[in-house]
Amino acid sequence: MSEMQNIQWFPGHMTKTKRQIQASLKLVDAVAEIIDARIPVSSRNPDLSKLIQNKPRVILMNKCDMANKTATKMWIDYFDKQGITAIAVDCKSGRGLNKFTPAVTKVMSKRIEQLKSKGMVNPTIRIMIVGIPNVGKSSFINKVAKHNRAKVEDRPGVTRGNQWYTIAKNLEMLDTPGVLWPKFDDRLVGERLAITGAVKDQILDIELLAVRLLDFLKKLKPEDFIARFKLEDIDIDNYDSFDLLYLVGKKRGMLVSGGEVNTERAAIMLLDEFRAAKLGRITMEMPYGG
Ligand code: G4P
């Protein structure tokens, strides 16, 4: 999928974004990195650790309503073993967001103690949100910030134009998230971002994408997918993924004149249903490459 290399994020764009994020980082104590729980590898920015350096971070595994529950738990464990606090959230419904403030407090505990020992009573912690496009940054901000915009004028050191949301007692969040670029030089990453809807369809071959999704579904054999297309009685391992796309289109009656299947329509339908989690709660990437 060579088109992936051409998607957005020209070098100038990346440099500008990097600078903006570096400027915002100076204003905050911690970072909340939002990733997509269905693709915890591909939805992460490859340069983030370098950018934030030693700043405490919390990972929000968003869209967990669409990811496999066991896989999400395994990921949280995996991050935990690396000393990173991660929580599962669903920013559409708000589920899991009650764990956010405790998670920030946990990663900031040392710093809070330091500040207290210097005589600060109830120090305010400031945090910023970062993540690749479409991962749910605005949804998160809308859910936790409500209409709770903190006043800006009494914040020393904060340049004009920065707004802060109060999201809990002594916890403020920068209103503008850092939009990170994905790792777009890896074909698999690009395909997974496209399959999950993080990058737009128009620039990619929709049928090829559906075939790649079917390559994956053939291996995983999610119950919902099998049941939805009534594939119980066939051995999908014997099907080439394009033939499977054909079959799936046929089952939905997506025919063109002459009785052939409109595989483009079938591809669009399949990807739409995957993105709406109608094929099951599916995680495409496991820790340790499993
Ligand atoms: P961004 O700011 O990082 O670019 O992402 P944004 O919040 O705009 O979210 C991108 C899409 O993902 C939105 O869908 C949003 O509703 C959806 N979304 C965000 N968080 C979750 C989640 O936890 N679960 C689910 N299922 N979806 C989530 P959209 O189709 O662009 O808009 P809409 O359908 O909500 O109108």
Side-chain angles (χ1 to χ4, degrees):
M1 212 165 291
S2 59
E3 296 95 328
M4 273 314 293
Q5 268 125 49
N6 301 328
I7 295 174
Q8 83 278 114
W9 307 113
F10 300 104
H13 192 177
M14 277 170 62
T15 310
K16 194 171 161 219
T17 308
K18 213 180 253 185
R19 255 193 241 121
Q20 279 167 348
I21 293 180
Q22 277 162 339
S24 300
L25 280 168
K26 292 203 178 98
L27 309 173
V28 300
D29 306 291
V31 173
E33 177 190 5
I34 307 193
I35 67 174
D36 186 326
R38 296 168 300 172
I39 46 168
V41 178
S42 297
S43 60
R44 295 190 79 186
N45 169 280
D47 303 325
L48 185 64
S49 295
K50 220 165 39 191
L51 260 175
I52 66 173
Q53 300 191 357
N54 298 326
K55 234 157 231 184
R57 122 174 56 180
V58 171
I59 290 184
L60 306 185
M61 299 190 69
N62 191 34
K63 309 199 184 186
C64 73
D65 54 309
M66 298 201 279
N68 179 278
K69 262 190 189 170
T70 312
T72 303
K73 278 204 191 92
M74 286 169 74
W75 273 108
I76 290 175
D77 248 32
Y78 169 84
F79 287 126
D80 190 52
K81 287 202 175 88
Q82 298 184 1
I84 300 174
T85 301
I87 57 172
V89 295
D90 162 2
C91 291
K92 209 159 184 173
S93 73
R95 218 165 306 131
L97 290 176
N98 56 340
K99 289 177 283 182
F100 180 64
T101 303
V104 175
T105 310
K106 180 180 160 205
V107 303
M108 287 302 300
S109 57
K110 255 196 202 142
R111 180 82 187 124
I112 292 172
E113 281 318 308
Q114 266 175 5
L115 292 169
K116 281 187 176 164
S117 69
K118 283 184 192 157
M120 272 181 95
V121 189
N122 296 326
T124 294
I125 298 304
R126 297 189 181 120
I127 192 157
M128 77 177 288
I129 307 303
V130 296
I132 63 166
N134 284 317
V135 77
K137 297 178 296 301
S138 340
S139 305
F140 174 77
I141 292 173
N142 287 338
K143 274 277 183 260
V144 297
K146 301 194 181 83
H147 301 295
N148 234 345
R149 200 172 269 254
K151 289 211 171 64
V152 344
E153 54 277 9
D154 57 349
R155 313 267 164 239
V158 173
T159 50
R160 246 218 283 224
N162 287 308
Q163 296 275 316
W164 297 87
Y165 291 116
T166 303
I167 51 179
K169 197 162 170 264
N170 307 318
L171 179 59
E172 291 184 0
M173 179 177 67
L174 193 60
D175 70 339
T176 325
V179 184
L180 298 166
W181 54 96
K183 189 176 171 208
F184 48 81
D185 53 358
D186 179 320
R187 184 181 62 85
L188 260 184
V189 169
E191 284 173 4
R192 287 171 184 165
L193 288 169
I195 287 171
T196 52
V199 296
K200 297 274 172 288
D201 283 340
Q202 297 90 290
I203 33 185
L204 298 162
D205 182 331
I206 195 87
E207 284 175 72
L208 176 62
L209 218 50
V211 164
R212 294 283 189 255
L213 173 59
L214 285 166
D215 286 343
F216 179 78
L217 295 175
K218 265 170 59 184
K219 275 192 224 138
L220 195 71
K221 300 185 180 57
E223 268 175 39
D224 292 352
F225 165 65
I226 302 289
R228 200 166 173 86
F229 292 103
K230 302 188 173 56
L231 301 170
E232 295 89 349
D233 298 331
I234 67 154
D235 186 358
I236 56 174
D237 290 327
N238 288 335
Y239 276 73
D240 154 84
S241 293
F242 188 80
D243 293 340
L244 199 53
L245 179 64
Y246 196 93
L247 178 68
V248 153
K250 195 170 170 184
K251 294 217 177 218
R252 284 289 163 88
M254 294 178 159
L255 305 178
V256 285
S257 54
E260 287 296 305
V261 170
N262 183 337
T263 44
E264 190 183 343
R265 265 187 71 204
I268 294 170
M269 171 270 297
L270 191 73
L271 287 162
D272 276 354
E273 296 198 357
F274 175 81
R275 290 171 188 160
K278 288 180 181 160
L279 309 184
R281 292 177 60 162
I282 297 171
T283 299
M284 299 187 81
E285 297 169 338
M286 297 300 285
Y288 311 108

